[in-house]
Amino acid sequence: MKVIQEKLPASQIGLEIEIPAETTKNTHEKVVNNLAKSANIPGFRPGKVPRQILLQRLGTKAVKAAVIEELIENCLESALKQEGIESLGNPQLLSQFEDLIAAYEPGKALTFSVSVDVAPTIILGDYENLSVTAEETVYDPESVENWFKERQEQLATLVPVEDRGAQLGDVAIVDYRGKSAETGEDIPDIDGEDLRVDMEAGRFIEGMVEGIIGMKPEEVKEMTLTFPEDYPKEDVAAKAVIFTITMKELKAKELPELDDDFAQEVSDQETIAELRASLEKRFQEQAEKETKESIYDALTKELVKGATLDLPETLIEKEVTHILTQSFMEFQQMGLDVNQLFTKDNIPKMRENTRPDAIESLKETLVVQELAKVAGIEVSAEAVTEKIAKIMVQLSDRDIDRQRLEQVITEEMLAENTLEWLKEKATITLVPKGSLEEETREDEETEETFAFTEVEVLAAEAEEE
């Protein structure tokens, strides 16, 4: 079989395939015989229809079309094997099908053209002299103290208070009702009973906590507050509302002592000293991890910037599906109605919005994999086995596809080894955490203050309902 290859854009290969005369004849006979066996023509038993009558009833054009479809499918597969081409899929007929029908005659050679997606060719830039800026996360001892405060709050005992007014740190149980400051009329849905108000500055609508300070049980107070402009309930957003607040209960928080008993209740540590040391180590490691990930991210983006590659549609569509599948699972875990989000009408728009992220993710993955190949970087089977064993212990209650897990772990470890190797060769400038995010945020705000993807908007709407 004669095959002529042509490199096409979007990581495709065009194939001009000449089907031998003998193949066109044999395939025609095979298709006609199969049609004769399955055709249901009145007056004839299945498989007993005379050839001439069969062709008359089905029509020459329909038979030719069936033969050509069979030829294209079989000959494309044979051509790929013959030429040693590893196709990713997405075959597209470049010839006009009507022209093939017109040109086809059993026993004569037939030529058709088709394209298939193949793995992209990746050309790396100067990866040995990269210069990047990344954010450094510095361990803050205050993070340990905040962790203790949060756990103390969770375990706090609430003690009723009757002999003083509310103050910061207390818990107030209130009834409330709101009316328009402009018309004096009650506002629907701006009322409630037994609302718990943790007396912390900045909670709820601005000024509410401050207005409750000093109130005693059974006291009633009016206060005028203004809802923020971005408040979800549009009829009160940015508007002044007169609230009538009734203090029903006031409770003070009694925090537990930071002692060994506390340590044993909130952790598997025996003493408060052991717990503190464990937390310090955890937050230090977390800071180091965040810094490392920031460096890896900067190196990857710079590596992609200097590389040249053309992505095939097959890989892009596969990555889009992967990202949306992850989003589906995350929204499901959040308790959102995924059937409302992922509808027949919404999915095409979701795929369109996800496409840029999918392309960027693919480029990063493929470029790092190419660098690993070029630099001869590998990951040992022992290291992969060891990591899988640890993960299997953690996920012992789940049904895990071990083969898929091994593939994912191998890819992750290979990428980390590659980026660690690249880090040693690169010039890296570290800046305080948040610096680069702030620059990016300022750039984005010049275009649009708030931006949401289609999925996020749908999720927000579902949550409100």
Side-chain angles (χ1 to χ4, degrees), residues 140-223:
D140 181 5
E142 191 65 24
S143 57
V144 175
E145 304 309 319
N146 291 336
W147 188 94
F148 277 124
K149 289 177 183 177
E150 289 175 6
R151 298 306 179 280
Q152 282 182 298
E153 289 282 344
Q154 293 171 2
L155 298 176
T157 302
L158 298 181
V159 180
V161 175
E162 297 180 355
D163 57 351
R164 65 168 175 78
Q167 60 188 32
L168 291 178
D170 288 342
V171 173
I173 308 299
V174 305
D175 291 346
Y176 68 96
R177 186 178 72 256
K179 60 183 179 180
S180 170
E182 184 178 348
T183 65
E185 296 179 356
D186 288 344
I187 303 174
D189 300 325
I190 302 297
D191 59 1
E193 297 180 350
D194 298 328
L195 173 68
R196 171 173 170 150
V197 179
D198 286 270
M199 299 291 289
E200 299 172 13
R203 297 289 296 270
F204 302 97
I205 303 170
E206 184 178 356
M208 176 175 281
V209 168
E210 290 76 6
I212 294 176
I213 290 177
M215 289 183 66
K216 295 181 178 180
E218 299 184 7
E219 183 178 344
V220 180
K221 182 177 181 181
E222 282 193 349
M223 59 184 76

Coordinates of all heavy atoms in Angstrom, one line a residue, residues 140-223:
D140 N 6.0 31.7 60.3 CA 5.6 32.7 61.3 C 5.1 32.0 62.6 O 4.2 31.3 62.6 CB 4.4 33.6 60.7 CG 3.9 34.6 61.7 OD1 4.6 34.8 62.7 OD2 2.9 35.3 61.4
P141 N 5.9 32.2 63.7 CA 5.5 31.6 65.0 C 4.1 31.9 65.4 O 3.5 31.1 66.1 CB 6.5 32.2 66.0 CG 7.7 32.6 65.1 CD 7.1 33.0 63.8
E142 N 3.5 33.0 64.9 CA 2.2 33.4 65.3 C 1.2 32.4 64.7 O 0.1 32.2 65.3 CB 1.9 34.8 64.7 CG 0.6 35.4 65.2 CD 0.6 35.7 66.7 OE1 1.8 35.9 67.2 OE2 -0.4 35.8 67.3
S143 N 1.5 31.6 63.7 CA 0.6 30.6 63.1 C 0.3 29.5 64.2 O -0.8 29.0 64.2 CB 1.2 30.0 61.9 OG 2.4 29.4 62.1
V144 N 1.3 29.2 65.0 CA 1.1 28.2 66.0 C 0.1 28.8 67.1 O -0.8 28.1 67.5 CB 2.4 27.8 66.7 CG1 2.2 26.9 67.9 CG2 3.3 27.2 65.7
E145 N 0.3 30.0 67.5 CA -0.5 30.6 68.5 C -2.0 30.7 68.0 O -2.9 30.5 68.7 CB 0.0 32.0 68.9 CG 1.4 32.0 69.4 CD 1.6 31.0 70.5 OE1 0.8 30.9 71.4 OE2 2.7 30.3 70.5
N146 N -2.1 31.1 66.7 CA -3.5 31.2 66.1 C -4.1 29.8 66.1 O -5.4 29.7 66.3 CB -3.4 31.7 64.7 CG -3.0 33.2 64.6 OD1 -3.2 33.9 65.6 ND2 -2.4 33.6 63.5
W147 N -3.4 28.8 65.8 CA -3.9 27.4 65.8 C -4.5 27.1 67.2 O -5.6 26.5 67.4 CB -2.8 26.4 65.4 CG -3.3 25.0 65.2 CD1 -3.7 24.5 64.0 CD2 -3.5 24.0 66.2 NE1 -4.1 23.1 64.2 CE2 -4.0 22.8 65.5 CE3 -3.3 23.9 67.6 CZ2 -4.3 21.6 66.2 CZ3 -3.6 22.7 68.3 CH2 -4.1 21.6 67.6
F148 N -3.7 27.4 68.3 CA -4.2 27.2 69.6 C -5.4 28.0 69.9 O -6.4 27.5 70.5 CB -3.1 27.6 70.6 CG -2.0 26.5 70.8 CD1 -0.7 26.7 70.6 CD2 -2.4 25.2 71.2 CE1 0.3 25.8 70.8 CE2 -1.4 24.2 71.4 CZ -0.1 24.5 71.2
K149 N -5.5 29.2 69.5 CA -6.6 30.1 69.8 C -7.9 29.5 69.1 O -9.0 29.5 69.7 CB -6.4 31.5 69.3 CG -5.4 32.3 70.1 CD -5.1 33.7 69.5 CE -4.0 34.4 70.3 NZ -3.7 35.7 69.7
E150 N -7.7 29.0 67.9 CA -8.9 28.5 67.2 C -9.4 27.2 67.9 O -10.6 27.1 68.0 CB -8.5 28.1 65.7 CG -8.3 29.3 64.8 CD -7.8 28.9 63.5 OE1 -7.7 27.6 63.2 OE2 -7.4 29.7 62.6
R151 N -8.5 26.4 68.4 CA -9.0 25.2 69.1 C -9.6 25.5 70.4 O -10.5 24.9 70.9 CB -7.8 24.2 69.2 CG -7.2 23.7 68.0 CD -8.2 23.1 67.0 NE -7.7 22.6 65.8 CZ -7.4 23.3 64.7 NH1 -7.6 24.6 64.8 NH2 -6.9 22.8 63.6
Q152 N -9.0 26.5 71.1 CA -9.6 27.0 72.3 C -11.0 27.5 72.1 O -11.9 27.2 72.9 CB -8.7 28.1 73.0 CG -7.5 27.6 73.7 CD -6.7 28.7 74.3 OE1 -6.2 29.6 73.6 NE2 -6.6 28.7 75.6
E153 N -11.2 28.2 71.0 CA -12.6 28.8 70.7 C -13.5 27.6 70.5 O -14.7 27.7 70.9 CB -12.5 29.7 69.5 CG -11.8 31.0 69.7 CD -12.6 32.0 70.4 OE1 -13.9 31.8 70.4 OE2 -12.1 33.0 70.9
Q154 N -13.1 26.6 69.8 CA -13.9 25.5 69.5 C -14.4 24.7 70.7 O -15.5 24.2 70.8 CB -13.2 24.5 68.5 CG -13.0 25.1 67.1 CD -12.2 24.2 66.2 OE1 -11.7 23.1 66.7 NE2 -11.9 24.7 65.0
L155 N -13.5 24.7 71.7 CA -13.8 23.9 72.9 C -14.2 24.8 74.1 O -14.3 24.4 75.2 CB -12.5 23.2 73.4 CG -12.0 22.1 72.4 CD1 -10.7 21.5 72.9 CD2 -13.0 21.0 72.2
A156 N -14.5 26.1 73.8 CA -14.9 27.0 74.8 C -16.2 26.7 75.4 O -17.1 26.1 74.8 CB -14.9 28.4 74.3
T157 N -16.3 26.9 76.7 CA -17.6 26.7 77.4 C -18.3 28.0 77.5 O -17.7 29.1 77.8 CB -17.4 26.2 78.9 OG1 -16.6 25.0 78.8 CG2 -18.7 26.0 79.6
L158 N -19.6 28.0 77.1 CA -20.4 29.3 77.1 C -21.2 29.4 78.4 O -21.9 28.6 78.8 CB -21.4 29.3 76.0 CG -20.8 29.2 74.5 CD1 -21.9 29.2 73.5 CD2 -19.8 30.4 74.3
V159 N -20.9 30.5 79.1 CA -21.4 30.8 80.5 C -22.4 32.0 80.4 O -22.0 33.0 79.9 CB -20.3 31.1 81.5 CG1 -20.9 31.3 82.9 CG2 -19.3 29.9 81.5
P160 N -23.7 31.8 80.8 CA -24.6 32.9 80.7 C -24.1 34.1 81.5 O -23.5 34.0 82.6 CB -25.9 32.3 81.4 CG -25.7 30.8 81.2 CD -24.3 30.6 81.3
V161 N -24.4 35.3 81.0 CA -24.0 36.6 81.6 C -25.3 37.4 81.8 O -26.1 37.6 80.8 CB -23.0 37.3 80.7 CG1 -22.7 38.7 81.3 CG2 -21.7 36.6 80.6
E162 N -25.5 38.0 83.0 CA -26.7 38.8 83.2 C -26.3 40.1 83.9 O -27.2 41.0 83.9 CB -27.7 38.0 84.1 CG -28.2 36.7 83.5 CD -29.2 36.0 84.4 OE1 -29.3 36.5 85.5 OE2 -29.7 35.0 84.0
D163 N -25.1 40.2 84.4 CA -24.8 41.4 85.2 C -24.0 42.5 84.5 O -23.5 43.4 85.1 CB -24.1 41.0 86.5 CG -22.8 40.3 86.2 OD1 -22.6 39.9 85.0 OD2 -22.0 40.0 87.1
R164 N -23.9 42.3 83.2 CA -23.1 43.3 82.4 C -23.6 43.3 80.9 O -24.3 42.4 80.5 CB -21.6 43.1 82.5 CG -21.2 41.7 81.8 CD -19.7 41.7 81.7 NE -19.2 40.4 81.2 CZ -19.2 40.0 79.9 NH1 -19.7 40.8 79.0 NH2 -18.7 38.8 79.5
G165 N -23.1 44.3 80.2 CA -23.5 44.4 78.8 C -22.5 43.6 77.9 O -21.5 43.1 78.4
A166 N -22.9 43.4 76.7 CA -22.1 42.6 75.8 C -20.8 43.3 75.5 O -20.7 44.5 75.4 CB -22.9 42.4 74.5
Q167 N -19.8 42.5 75.3 CA -18.5 43.0 74.9 C -17.8 42.0 73.9 O -18.3 40.9 73.7 CB -17.6 43.2 76.2 CG -17.4 41.9 77.0 CD -16.7 42.1 78.3 OE1 -16.9 43.1 79.0 NE2 -15.9 41.1 78.7
L168 N -16.7 42.5 73.3 CA -16.0 41.7 72.3 C -15.6 40.4 73.0 O -15.1 40.4 74.1 CB -14.8 42.4 71.8 CG -15.2 43.7 70.9 CD1 -13.9 44.3 70.4 CD2 -16.0 43.3 69.7
G169 N -15.8 39.3 72.2 CA -15.4 38.0 72.7 C -16.6 37.2 73.2 O -16.5 36.0 73.4
D170 N -17.7 37.9 73.5 CA -18.9 37.2 74.0 C -19.7 36.5 72.8 O -19.3 36.7 71.6 CB -19.9 38.2 74.6 CG -19.4 38.7 76.0 OD1 -18.5 38.0 76.5 OD2 -19.8 39.7 76.4
V171 N -20.7 35.8 73.2 CA -21.6 35.3 72.2 C -23.0 35.8 72.5 O -23.5 35.6 73.6 CB -21.7 33.7 72.2 CG1 -22.8 33.2 71.2 CG2 -20.3 33.2 71.7
A172 N -23.6 36.5 71.5 CA -25.0 37.1 71.8 C -26.0 36.3 70.9 O -25.7 35.9 69.8 CB -25.0 38.5 71.4
I173 N -27.1 36.0 71.6 CA -28.3 35.3 70.9 C -29.3 36.4 70.7 O -29.9 36.9 71.7 CB -28.8 34.1 71.6 CG1 -27.7 33.2 72.0 CG2 -29.9 33.5 70.8 CD1 -27.0 32.6 70.8
V174 N -29.7 36.8 69.5 CA -30.5 37.9 69.2 C -31.7 37.6 68.2 O -31.5 36.7 67.4 CB -29.8 39.1 68.7 CG1 -28.6 39.5 69.6 CG2 -29.2 38.9 67.3
D175 N -32.8 38.3 68.4 CA -33.8 38.4 67.3 C -33.6 39.7 66.6 O -33.1 40.7 67.2 CB -35.2 38.3 67.9 CG -35.5 37.0 68.6 OD1 -34.8 36.0 68.3 OD2 -36.5 36.9 69.3
Y176 N -33.9 39.7 65.3 CA -33.7 40.9 64.6 C -34.7 41.1 63.5 O -35.3 40.1 63.0 CB -32.3 41.0 63.9 CG -32.1 40.0 62.8 CD1 -32.3 40.3 61.5 CD2 -31.8 38.6 63.1 CE1 -32.1 39.4 60.5 CE2 -31.6 37.7 62.1 CZ -31.8 38.1 60.8 OH -31.6 37.1 59.8
R177 N -35.0 42.4 63.2 CA -36.0 42.7 62.1 C -35.5 44.0 61.4 O -35.0 44.9 62.1 CB -37.4 42.9 62.7 CG -38.5 43.2 61.7 CD -39.8 43.3 62.3 NE -40.0 44.6 63.0 CZ -39.9 44.8 64.3 NH1 -39.7 43.8 65.1 NH2 -40.0 46.0 64.8
G178 N -35.6 44.0 60.1 CA -35.1 45.1 59.4 C -36.2 45.9 58.6 O -37.1 45.2 58.0
K179 N -36.1 47.2 58.6 CA -37.0 48.0 57.7 C -36.3 49.0 57.0 O -35.2 49.4 57.4 CB -38.1 48.6 58.6 CG -37.6 49.6 59.7 CD -38.8 50.1 60.5 CE -38.2 51.0 61.6 NZ -39.4 51.5 62.5
S180 N -36.8 49.4 55.9 CA -36.1 50.4 55.0 C -36.0 51.7 55.7 O -36.9 52.3 56.3 CB -36.9 50.6 53.7 OG -36.4 51.7 53.0
A181 N -34.8 52.3 55.7 CA -34.5 53.6 56.3 C -35.2 54.7 55.5 O -35.5 55.8 55.9 CB -33.0 53.9 56.4
E182 N -35.5 54.3 54.2 CA -36.1 55.3 53.3 C -37.6 55.4 53.4 O -38.2 56.5 53.5 CB -35.7 55.0 51.9 CG -36.2 56.0 50.8 CD -35.7 55.6 49.4 OE1 -34.9 54.8 49.3 OE2 -36.3 56.2 48.5
T183 N -38.3 54.1 53.5 CA -39.7 54.1 53.5 C -40.3 53.7 54.9 O -41.5 53.9 55.1 CB -40.2 53.1 52.5 OG1 -39.8 51.8 52.9 CG2 -39.7 53.4 51.1
G184 N -39.5 53.1 55.7 CA -39.9 52.7 57.0 C -40.7 51.4 57.0 O -41.2 50.9 58.0
E185 N -40.8 50.7 55.8 CA -41.5 49.5 55.6 C -40.6 48.3 55.9 O -39.4 48.3 55.6 CB -42.1 49.4 54.2 CG -43.1 50.4 53.9 CD -43.6 50.3 52.5 OE1 -43.1 49.4 51.7 OE2 -44.5 51.0 52.1
D186 N -41.2 47.2 56.5 CA -40.4 46.0 56.8 C -39.9 45.4 55.5 O -40.6 45.5 54.4 CB -41.3 45.0 57.5 CG -41.6 45.3 58.9 OD1 -40.9 46.2 59.4 OD2 -42.5 44.8 59.5
I187 N -38.7 44.8 55.5 CA -38.1 44.3 54.3 C -38.2 42.7 54.4 O -37.8 42.1 55.4 CB -36.6 44.6 54.2 CG1 -36.4 46.2 54.2 CG2 -36.0 44.0 53.0 CD1 -35.0 46.6 54.2
P188 N -38.8 42.1 53.4 CA -39.0 40.6 53.4 C -37.6 39.9 53.6 O -36.6 40.4 53.0 CB -39.6 40.3 52.1 CG -40.3 41.6 51.7 CD -39.4 42.7 52.2
D189 N -37.6 38.9 54.4 CA -36.4 38.0 54.6 C -35.3 38.7 55.3 O -34.2 38.1 55.5 CB -35.9 37.5 53.2 CG -36.9 36.7 52.4 OD1 -37.7 36.0 53.1 OD2 -36.9 36.8 51.2
I190 N -35.5 39.9 55.8 CA -34.5 40.6 56.7 C -35.1 40.5 58.1 O -35.4 41.5 58.7 CB -34.2 42.0 56.2 CG1 -33.7 42.1 54.8 CG2 -33.1 42.6 57.1 CD1 -32.4 41.3 54.6
D191 N -35.2 39.3 58.6 CA -35.6 39.1 60.0 C -35.2 37.7 60.4 O -35.0 36.8 59.6 CB -37.1 39.3 60.1 CG -38.0 38.4 59.2 OD1 -37.3 37.5 58.5 OD2 -39.2 38.4 59.3
G192 N -35.2 37.5 61.7 CA -34.8 36.2 62.2 C -34.8 36.1 63.7 O -34.9 37.1 64.4
E193 N -34.8 34.9 64.2 CA -34.8 34.6 65.6 C -33.6 33.8 66.0 O -33.1 32.9 65.2 CB -36.1 33.9 66.0 CG -37.4 34.7 65.8 CD -38.6 34.0 66.2 OE1 -38.5 32.8 66.5 OE2 -39.7 34.6 66.2
D194 N -33.2 34.0 67.2 CA -32.1 33.2 67.8 C -30.9 33.1 67.0 O -30.2 32.1 66.8 CB -32.6 31.7 68.1 CG -33.8 31.7 69.1 OD1 -33.8 32.6 70.0 OD2 -34.6 30.8 69.0
L195 N -30.5 34.3 66.4 CA -29.3 34.4 65.6 C -28.1 34.4 66.6 O -28.1 35.3 67.5 CB -29.3 35.6 64.7 CG -28.0 35.9 64.0 CD1 -27.8 34.9 62.9 CD2 -28.0 37.3 63.4
R196 N -27.1 33.6 66.3 CA -25.9 33.6 67.2 C -24.9 34.6 66.6 O -24.6 34.6 65.4 CB -25.2 32.2 67.2 CG -23.8 32.3 67.8 CD -23.2 30.9 68.0 NE -21.8 31.0 68.4 CZ -21.2 30.1 69.2 NH1 -21.9 29.1 69.6 NH2 -19.9 30.3 69.5
V197 N -24.6 35.6 67.4 CA -23.6 36.6 66.9 C -22.3 36.5 67.8 O -22.3 36.8 69.0 CB -24.2 38.0 67.1 CG1 -23.2 39.1 66.7 CG2 -25.5 38.2 66.3
D198 N -21.3 36.0 67.2 CA -20.0 36.0 67.8 C -19.4 37.4 67.8 O -19.2 37.9 66.7 CB -19.0 35.0 67.2 CG -19.4 33.5 67.4 OD1 -18.9 33.0 68.4 OD2 -20.2 33.0 66.6
M199 N -19.2 37.9 69.0 CA -18.8 39.3 69.1 C -17.4 39.5 68.7 O -16.5 39.6 69.6 CB -19.1 39.8 70.5 CG -20.6 39.7 70.9 SD -21.6 40.9 70.0 CE -21.0 42.4 70.7
E200 N -17.2 39.6 67.4 CA -15.8 39.8 66.9 C -15.9 40.9 65.9 O -16.8 41.0 65.0 CB -15.3 38.5 66.2 CG -15.1 37.4 67.2 CD -14.8 36.1 66.4 OE1 -14.4 36.2 65.2 OE2 -14.9 35.0 67.0
A201 N -15.0 41.9 65.9 CA -15.0 43.0 65.0 C -14.9 42.5 63.5 O -14.2 41.6 63.2 CB -13.8 43.9 65.3
G202 N -15.8 43.2 62.7 CA -15.8 42.8 61.3 C -16.8 41.7 60.9 O -16.9 41.4 59.7
R203 N -17.4 41.1 61.9 CA -18.4 40.1 61.6 C -19.7 40.7 61.2 O -20.1 41.8 61.6 CB -18.6 39.1 62.8 CG -17.4 38.4 63.2 CD -17.0 37.3 62.2 NE -18.1 36.3 62.2 CZ -18.1 35.2 62.9 NH1 -17.2 35.0 63.8 NH2 -19.1 34.3 62.8
F204 N -20.5 40.0 60.3 CA -21.8 40.4 59.9 C -21.7 41.8 59.1 O -20.7 42.1 58.6 CB -22.8 40.5 61.1 CG -22.9 39.2 61.8 CD1 -22.2 38.9 62.9 CD2 -23.8 38.2 61.3 CE1 -22.3 37.7 63.6 CE2 -23.9 37.0 61.9 CZ -23.1 36.7 63.1
I205 N -22.8 42.5 59.1 CA -22.8 43.8 58.4 C -22.0 44.8 59.3 O -22.0 44.8 60.5 CB -24.3 44.3 58.3 CG1 -25.1 43.3 57.5 CG2 -24.3 45.6 57.6 CD1 -26.6 43.6 57.5
E206 N -21.2 45.6 58.6 CA -20.4 46.5 59.3 C -21.2 47.4 60.3 O -22.2 48.0 59.9 CB -19.7 47.4 58.2 CG -18.7 48.4 58.9 CD -17.9 49.2 57.9 OE1 -18.2 49.0 56.6 OE2 -17.2 50.1 58.3
G207 N -20.7 47.4 61.5 CA -21.4 48.2 62.5 C -22.3 47.4 63.4 O -22.7 47.9 64.5
M208 N -22.7 46.2 63.0 CA -23.7 45.5 63.8 C -23.1 45.0 65.2 O -23.7 45.2 66.2 CB -24.2 44.2 63.1 CG -25.2 43.4 64.0 SD -25.9 42.0 63.1 CE -27.2 42.8 62.2
V209 N -21.9 44.4 65.1 CA -21.3 43.9 66.4 C -21.0 45.1 67.3 O -21.3 45.1 68.5 CB -19.9 43.2 66.0 CG1 -19.1 43.0 67.3 CG2 -20.2 41.9 65.4
E210 N -20.5 46.2 66.7 CA -20.2 47.4 67.5 C -21.5 48.0 68.1 O -21.5 48.5 69.2 CB -19.5 48.5 66.6 CG -18.1 48.2 66.1 CD -18.1 47.1 65.0 OE1 -19.2 46.7 64.5 OE2 -17.0 46.7 64.7
G211 N -22.6 47.9 67.4 CA -23.9 48.4 67.9 C -24.4 47.5 69.0 O -25.1 48.0 69.9
I212 N -24.1 46.2 69.0 CA -24.6 45.3 70.1 C -23.8 45.5 71.4 O -24.3 45.2 72.5 CB -24.6 43.9 69.6 CG1 -25.6 43.7 68.4 CG2 -24.9 42.9 70.7 CD1 -25.5 42.3 67.8
I213 N -22.5 46.0 71.3 CA -21.7 46.1 72.5 C -22.4 47.0 73.5 O -23.0 48.0 73.2 CB -20.3 46.8 72.1 CG1 -19.5 45.8 71.3 CG2 -19.6 47.2 73.3 CD1 -18.2 46.4 70.8
G214 N -22.5 46.5 74.7 CA -23.1 47.2 75.8 C -24.5 46.7 76.1 O -25.1 47.0 77.1
M215 N -25.2 46.0 75.1 CA -26.5 45.6 75.3 C -26.6 44.5 76.3 O -25.7 43.6 76.4 CB -27.1 45.1 74.0 CG -27.4 46.2 73.0 SD -28.2 45.5 71.5 CE -29.8 45.0 72.1
K216 N -27.7 44.5 77.1 CA -27.9 43.4 78.2 C -29.1 42.6 77.7 O -29.9 42.9 76.9 CB -28.2 44.1 79.5 CG -27.0 44.9 80.0 CD -27.3 45.5 81.4 CE -26.1 46.2 82.0 NZ -26.4 46.8 83.3
P217 N -29.2 41.4 78.4 CA -30.3 40.5 78.0 C -31.7 41.2 78.2 O -31.8 42.0 79.1 CB -30.2 39.4 79.1 CG -28.7 39.3 79.3 CD -28.2 40.7 79.3
E218 N -32.6 41.0 77.2 CA -33.9 41.5 77.1 C -33.9 43.0 76.7 O -35.0 43.6 76.5 CB -34.7 41.4 78.5 CG -34.8 40.0 78.9 CD -35.7 39.9 80.2 OE1 -36.2 40.9 80.7 OE2 -35.8 38.8 80.8
E219 N -32.8 43.6 76.4 CA -32.7 44.9 75.9 C -33.0 45.0 74.4 O -32.7 44.1 73.7 CB -31.3 45.5 76.2 CG -31.2 47.0 75.8 CD -29.9 47.6 76.1 OE1 -29.1 47.0 76.9 OE2 -29.5 48.7 75.5
V220 N -33.7 46.0 74.0 CA -34.1 46.2 72.6 C -33.4 47.5 72.1 O -33.4 48.5 72.8 CB -35.6 46.3 72.4 CG1 -35.9 46.5 70.9 CG2 -36.3 45.0 72.9
K221 N -32.8 47.4 70.9 CA -32.1 48.6 70.4 C -32.3 48.7 68.9 O -32.3 47.7 68.2 CB -30.6 48.4 70.7 CG -29.8 49.6 70.3 CD -28.3 49.4 70.8 CE -27.4 50.5 70.4 NZ -26.0 50.3 70.8
E222 N -32.4 49.9 68.4 CA -32.5 50.2 67.0 C -31.1 50.7 66.5 O -30.5 51.5 67.2 CB -33.6 51.1 66.6 CG -35.0 50.5 66.6 CD -36.0 51.5 66.0 OE1 -35.7 52.6 65.7 OE2 -37.1 51.0 65.7
M223 N -30.7 50.3 65.3 CA -29.5 50.8 64.8 C -29.6 50.8 63.2 O -30.2 49.9 62.7 CB -28.3 49.9 65.2 CG -28.3 48.5 64.8 SD -27.0 47.5 65.4 CE -27.4 47.3 67.2

